[in-house]
Amino acid sequence: MSIWIITTGNSDVQLNKDSYWEDFHETVRYDDKDIRKCDKFAAIQEDKATDEVYPVPARILGIVYRNHVQENYDDLAFPLLDTFTQYFLDKPNEKPSIIIVLLTDQRNIFVDEDGDLNEKVENEFSPFWQDTCTLKLIFQEYFKQKEIFSSIKLEFCTLRPSKKGLDNWNETLEVVQKEFKNIQEKLREYPEYKPDETVYVSHQAGTPAISSAVQFVSLSNFKKVKFLSSNIFFNNDNKPASEPQIVEISNYWMGIQIEKAKQLVRKGLPGAALSMLEEIGYVDTKNVIPRFKNMVSVFNIRESLTKGHEFDVIPAIQRVVDALILVEIFFQEKNYLQGIALLAAAHETFLKAAIASKIYNKKIILNIDGKQKTFLSQQLVKWQQPGLVFVRNVSDNYSDKTLKSVLGIPDWDRDIKKIVDTKYDVLHKMSFPVNNYPIFQDTKASDKNKNKAFDVTNSNAGLFNWLDKLRVGFKPWSLLTWICIEKDKYKEYDDDLRNGLMHNLLGFNEQDVIKYLLGNPKTLIYTDVLTTYRKEVKEKFLNEIKNLGIPYNERNLYDELEAIANDII
């Protein structure tokens, strides 16, 4: 099956004789409140330019002829519809199974508070009189009279603006979008309908705003669209004539999809844009697709990942810097949940990378079973999959098997105190503030619990305090301080915005985000998220990375995205 959607306008139905007009008009003028508002068409005159038709506004024509459609059908002419119909007469195999006629009714914008028509409709040129809603019976008769369409399902939908007329582009687009949703619901009621059916669209009738909106929305809602239009030309007698014309929209549709892809790129959604281009079979002439794939890797923080070097300091810091730029893009598009989640990861990665850079290659001299042994720090404490902790393998199941092997302590040695004392000594020599944690000085605490407590090196609070001791002049920003303060010591769980909002999916509003970025202050000094982030987090974050002396490349993702968008042609 196929579908034909037709817009209707003021001149779609024309009167070609006035033999009965005055009588018909006189009959309805006393019964119809609408027509009494404009009495200028009680008598009509032939159009001097054509000598063929009598111009009458669509709404008035429908009112006057509603009771005379069948008996006086020959009084009416359908120049545009006849041209469209000719296409299906010439190609009967393409005739539609369903015809949907879009009528117009702007009554809502021409009524006063009491629901009566206002004085604006007294003007004969008012758009109210050009509405086609009263022509429904006439259109029904037209398709009934055409044998090729006589058995076809016919549906009517009405465009009803509520605030502005159908010459307003924004309002008309909204009205058309709403009505097309109704159309799709109607189509689903037909068992034979399939989403990939050909949809013919005749959009020339009606206002330019209707025509434009119907073109756009039909392309957005249906997979296979063909525009059936009327091509005007002059015949041998130098008189205007028309013929049907099909406009294939594959290039047109592809152009719209490409423009959508450009917008997605600029909004920081390269993955969605890439999928769209791949779906339409985009022909890449400017190396766009590889750049897209690279950008998708950037947005997924995978570009700087090299197998076996995931925990190297320099690429880790580069990932942090890339993340800070991505967070800015997310915040700009008001994607707060993604931004905050990525920002939290950036903080934790920064702390680990910064500490790893400070303790790297530090010589640690230990006394193991009465013998002095020298180790490099990364042999004992290493940034690995479980975090920044004493060395371990996945197979260790969080035991000290790997560490014992490095230290030269037999695995069968069950002396927990020996490993606890050694760990304490290692952290002390690496400037970890072990004395800040009472458990390590608590004579009543078991060695087993002390051993478990050494994973404090991987906690936010432990990392923060460690970096503070390692780097003189460390200048943390408010958010870093807030998320790293020990929860049970300084704040209640209910006050932890990140836990409350992100972990429990309670959602965010702008004030919540600003409050979080500022470290949960009592008063807010900013009113928008982006400014808060740039001034109080990103700028201070990057300054501290610079002070660490770790090289990185602060790329301009906005320019890169814009360059990719400009090359999509």
Side-chain angles (χ1 to χ4, degrees):
M1 66 182 290
S2 62
I3 301 148
W4 183 20
I5 299 175
I6 312 165
T7 64
T8 58
N10 189 49
S11 58
D12 269 11
V13 183
Q14 298 181 1
L15 190 65
N16 58 26
K17 61 178 72 173
D18 68 341
S19 307
Y20 306 103
W21 179 261
E22 291 188 15
D23 291 340
F24 292 167
H25 190 281
E26 186 70 15
T27 301
V28 298
R29 66 181 301 194
Y30 295 105
D31 300 327
D32 193 282
K33 291 194 300 182
D34 287 356
I35 207 168
R36 290 203 300 271
K37 283 284 185 176
C38 184
D39 217 18
K40 295 182 175 63
F41 293 96
I44 56 175
Q45 293 182 344
E46 191 174 26
D47 186 350
K48 295 179 181 179
T50 63
D51 294 330
E52 294 178 353
V53 297
Y54 295 81
V56 180
R59 186 184 286 270
I60 293 177
L61 180 59
I63 293 172
V64 171
Y65 263 77
R66 64 189 172 199
N67 296 320
H68 311 282
V69 177
Q70 293 182 346
E71 298 87 345
N72 298 86
Y73 179 77
D74 291 339
D75 294 357
L76 306 172
F78 306 83
L80 198 56
L81 278 177
D82 285 345
T83 302
F84 297 152
T85 298
Q86 189 59 49
Y87 175 80
F88 295 112
L89 291 172
D90 295 339
K91 299 183 178 184
N93 291 335
E94 296 186 29
K95 73 175 183 178
S97 302
I98 303 173
I99 297 175
I100 300 173
V101 181
L102 297 179
L103 304 174
T104 62
D105 185 4
Q106 300 172 95
R107 175 180 294 273
N108 290 335
I109 61 174
F110 288 101
V111 293
D112 54 29
E113 294 179 356
D114 297 327
D116 295 326
L117 290 173
N118 59 37
E119 68 279 359
K120 292 180 181 179
V121 302
E122 295 174 6
N123 188 317
E124 61 185 292
F125 299 107
S126 170
F128 174 79
W129 300 115
Q130 297 173 14
D131 283 334
T132 59
C133 53
T134 62
L135 300 177
K136 181 177 178 180
L137 293 176
I138 295 176
F139 286 129
Q140 285 177 327
E141 187 64 24
Y142 175 84
F143 290 109
K144 184 178 178 181
Q145 292 275 345
K146 300 294 180 183
E147 185 176 350
I148 189 174
F149 299 134
S150 59
S151 60
I152 288 176
K153 300 179 178 78
L154 184 62
E155 299 277 3
F156 289 89
C157 296
T158 305
L159 305 178
R160 292 188 174 93
S162 58
K163 297 177 182 178
K164 298 180 180 179
L166 290 171
D167 56 349
N168 180 275
W169 293 75
N170 290 333
E171 171 108 0
T172 301
L173 178 59
E174 292 178 8
V175 172
V176 170
Q177 286 173 328
K178 178 181 178 181
E179 206 53 48
F180 264 66
K181 286 184 180 179
N182 295 334
I183 288 173
Q184 289 187 310
E185 289 177 5
K186 287 179 182 290
L187 292 174
R188 292 190 191 99
E189 296 174 3
Y190 295 100
E192 64 271 29
Y193 169 69
K194 296 179 181 178
D196 58 351
E197 301 287 359
T198 299
V199 177
Y200 294 93
V201 178
S202 296
H203 60 81
Q204 284 174 283
T207 66
I210 292 175
S211 176
S212 177
V214 167
Q215 289 179 73
F216 176 78
V217 176
S218 60
L219 290 172
S220 301
N221 283 267
F222 300 106
K223 292 183 178 180
K224 189 176 181 181
V225 178
K226 292 184 178 182
F227 292 133
L228 174 56
S229 60
S230 174
N231 180 38
I232 306 295
F233 63 94
F234 289 89
N235 58 25
N236 294 333
D237 297 330
N238 204 31
K239 290 186 177 181
S242 63
E243 62 183 6
Q245 182 181 42
I246 283 287
V247 179
E248 297 287 349
I249 55 82
S250 56
N251 290 337
Y252 186 23
W253 177 79
M254 185 171 287
I256 289 178
Q257 299 304 98
I258 286 173
E259 288 304 314
K260 287 182 181 178
K262 289 182 178 182
Q263 292 174 18
L264 289 172
V265 175
R266 292 184 175 114
K267 285 181 175 292
L269 296 169
L274 175 60
S275 297
M276 181 173 288
L277 292 181
E278 289 177 337
E279 183 180 340
I280 67 175
Y282 175 73
V283 179
D284 189 5
T285 59
K286 288 201 171 187
N287 200 38
V288 167
I289 299 299
R291 290 155 64 194
F292 257 122
K293 291 179 178 178
N294 176 66
M295 193 57 69
V296 171
S297 293
V298 172
F299 271 69
N300 286 286
I301 318 294
R302 294 202 60 83
E303 189 193 35
S304 58
L305 283 175
T306 304
K307 193 167 181 60
H309 298 276
E310 295 90 341
F311 303 105
D312 289 357
V313 169
I314 292 178
I317 288 297
Q318 185 61 56
R319 294 198 300 275
V320 170
V321 173
D322 288 346
L324 292 178
I325 300 167
L326 292 175
V327 169
E328 185 171 351
I329 292 174
F330 288 144
F331 283 164
Q332 183 164 290
E333 296 302 321
K334 301 187 185 301
N335 294 323
Y336 300 135
L337 182 60
Q338 296 94 317
I340 285 182
L342 187 56
L343 186 56
H347 277 81
E348 293 179 23
T349 303
F350 160 75
L351 289 170
K352 292 168 187 172
I355 293 168
S357 73
K358 286 294 180 183
I359 65 174
Y360 183 72
N361 270 351
K362 183 178 178 64
K363 289 184 180 181
I364 307 294
I365 300 173
L366 300 174
N367 189 315
I368 306 294
D369 292 332
K371 296 179 183 179
Q372 280 196 343
K373 292 185 179 182
T374 302
F375 302 91
L376 294 178
S377 57
Q378 59 268 26
Q379 291 179 281
L380 306 174
V381 176
K382 188 177 181 179
W383 185 14
Q384 51 201 320
Q385 192 65 46
L388 190 58
V389 292
F390 281 95
V391 290
R392 63 177 66 146
N393 291 324
V394 176
S395 59
D396 290 352
N397 195 24
Y398 294 98
S399 70
D400 292 313
K401 181 178 179 180
T402 300
L403 179 62
K404 284 181 177 181
S405 176
V406 173
L407 294 171
I409 299 175
D411 190 38
W412 48 260
D413 189 338
R414 303 301 180 189
D415 188 353
I416 298 179
K417 187 176 187 318
K418 181 189 296 184
I419 200 72
V420 167
D421 289 344
T422 302
K423 285 183 177 181
Y424 184 93
D425 193 19
V426 169
L427 291 185
H428 182 72
K429 289 174 178 177
M430 286 188 184
S431 300
F432 184 85
V434 284
N435 293 331
N436 287 10
Y437 297 90
I439 188 171
F440 297 123
Q441 285 79 41
D442 188 353
T443 56
K444 295 182 180 180
S446 68
D447 289 327
K448 186 176 181 180
N449 286 338
K450 286 182 180 181
N451 199 24
K452 289 181 179 178
F454 281 113
D455 272 1
V456 70
T457 59
N458 197 46
S459 69
N460 282 346
L463 291 166
F464 180 88
N465 292 328
W466 195 358
L467 184 58
D468 191 37
K469 279 205 71 174
L470 280 170
R471 206 185 87 70
V472 177
F474 176 49
K475 295 180 180 178
W477 47 102
S478 298
L479 176 58
L480 180 63
T481 303
W482 167 251
I483 63 177
C484 291
I485 292 174
E486 287 188 75
K487 187 169 14 189
D488 57 349
K489 204 169 187 181
Y490 297 102
K491 59 182 177 179
E492 294 299 327
Y493 205 83
D494 288 344
D495 291 332
D496 187 343
L497 291 176
R498 178 169 168 263
N499 277 313
L501 299 176
M502 190 171 76
H503 291 182
N504 298 310
L505 287 178
L506 298 183
F508 296 95
N509 60 42
E510 289 200 2
Q511 282 203 327
D512 290 331
V513 179
I514 293 170
K515 188 176 182 182
Y516 175 77
L517 293 175
L518 292 173
N520 198 34
K522 293 183 179 179
T523 58
L524 302 183
I525 58 175
Y526 294 97
T527 57
D528 73 282
V529 171
L530 208 53
T531 301
T532 308
Y533 172 70
R534 286 171 176 164
K535 289 185 176 294
E536 297 300 324
V537 180
K538 183 186 173 187
E539 183 179 309
K540 296 179 179 181
F541 205 143
L542 290 175
N543 282 338
E544 192 56 33
I545 293 175
K546 289 175 186 175
N547 292 336
L548 284 169
I550 303 173
Y552 67 88
N553 173 33
E554 188 179 354
R555 64 199 303 174
N556 191 327
L557 288 183
Y558 292 104
D559 287 350
E560 291 183 46
L561 292 171
E562 184 65 29
I564 294 175
N566 291 337
D567 282 344
I568 304 174
I569 57 174

